[in-house]
Amino acid sequence: MSTGTASDLQRKLAAALPPDEPAAGSHEQPESIPPRALLAQVLDRANLQRALKHVRRNQGAPGIDGMTVDELPEYLKHHWLDIRAELETGQYRPQPVKRVDIPKGDGKTRPLGIPTVIDRFIQQAIAQVLSAHWEPHFHPHSYGFRPNRSAHQAVRHVQATIRAGYGWVVDLDLQSFFDRVNHDRLMARLKTRTQDADVLRLINRFLKVGVVVGGKIEATPTGVPQGGPLSPLLANVVLDELDWELDRRGHRFARYADDCNILVKSKRAGERVMASVTRFVSDSLRLTVNPLKSAVDRPWKRKFLGFTVSRNGKKLKVADKALAKLKDRVRELTRRTRGNRIEVIAADLRESLLG
């Protein structure tokens, strides 16, 4: 099926949407948003067109209904008015996500939840509005899933802190974070800056919608499924509480998603920080610090986001494990038995090497 251009797809969606109701200040991000104002922003035509473009660009596999991203614009052209009415009246019900297990480097698998493309579209529209509202309030040393921020910035911040004399690291790993997020804690945190009951109810439905495993629907009483456009933002909303607690205690740190490094000046200080932060994570966030993957150690003995820092903090290098994994991937992509044209191989290599 021909994919068409982004502008063609936007015109298809625009053709299905009625003119927006004028709403004074609908594009501003006030400190306190009046009830229902968020839903109006989510359903704003420009926001929906941007969401469609984003979902199209990201591609991705179909959900449980089998609809592809290429089929989405035409479907919206015929059904968007009904979907919008359901969203406005609080009757919209997301479909369960499809579970796919992605292999990890240690031989284990990571569960990925694939929503239907319609639900991905709606989630993306919500995420864009919520992100604009939450972004100014996130901590400056939170680097994951945020505009104009990157893993490299997080690693550079850790490096600069080490060079400033902080020669020990509290390396925190949150055990199965995305699977164990407490829904009540998450919704309570969202309510601190989001008072629109319709949007909160819809987000809660996305969290509770369930997952299809082996043809059967399993309940999702906890967690945010990796694979949905809302999940990265919701993860930051949960861990924003940790960021500001670390800031309140005066700690130097960098966090990227559920990877967090806290820098201290001595091993004894690191052990105290590890114990107190572990208690906070358990008691306040209702999450678990993984004792097998967390440690107080010298930074050059640990890896952060695939990098290690030299003893004096002046140099960065790719961690040995990450480098070995990349070499294995390059060998796999370039083996003679794949039989692909050189253009395909080059494209695959570019994706793996540049990320």
Side-chain angles (χ1 to χ4, degrees), residues 275-294:
S276 63
V277 172
T278 297
R279 285 195 299 271
F280 176 81
V281 167
S282 175
D283 296 344
S284 296
L285 303 184
R286 301 184 192 177
L287 295 167
T288 303
V289 172
N290 188 340
L292 300 179
K293 293 185 178 181
S294 303

Side-chain angles (χ1 to χ4, degrees), residues 333-335 338 340-350:
L333 292 175
T334 56
R335 69 179 189 271
R338 285 191 78 209
N340 284 331
R341 292 179 290 110
I342 187 65
E343 295 87 350
V344 175
I345 295 174
D348 290 343
L349 281 172
R350 178 179 176 82

Side-chain angles (χ1 to χ4, degrees), residues 317-335:
K317 74 167 189 173
V318 179
D320 293 339
K321 185 177 179 181
L323 188 59
K325 183 178 178 181
L326 179 61
K327 288 180 178 179
D328 288 342
R329 179 61 176 159
V330 170
R331 278 192 288 267
E332 177 187 348
L333 292 175
T334 56
R335 69 179 189 271

Side-chain angles (χ1 to χ4, degrees), residues 204-216:
N204 195 49
R205 285 176 182 168
F206 278 119
L207 292 173
K208 303 287 189 185
V209 72
V211 58
V212 176
V213 180
K216 296 182 179 179

Side-chain angles (χ1 to χ4, degrees), residues 3 53-62 68-70 117 120:
T3 57
K53 184 177 180 180
H54 188 94
V55 171
R56 284 281 301 157
R57 183 172 64 246
N58 282 0
Q59 289 294 308
T68 68
V69 291
D70 293 332
V117 292
R120 293 212 292 271

Side-chain angles (χ1 to χ4, degrees), residues 30 34 59 81 123 137 140 150 214 217 247 279-280 291 315 346:
Q59 289 294 308
L81 292 179
Q123 282 194 36
H137 306 285
S150 68
I217 299 177
D247 182 273
R279 285 195 299 271
F280 176 81
K315 294 182 180 180

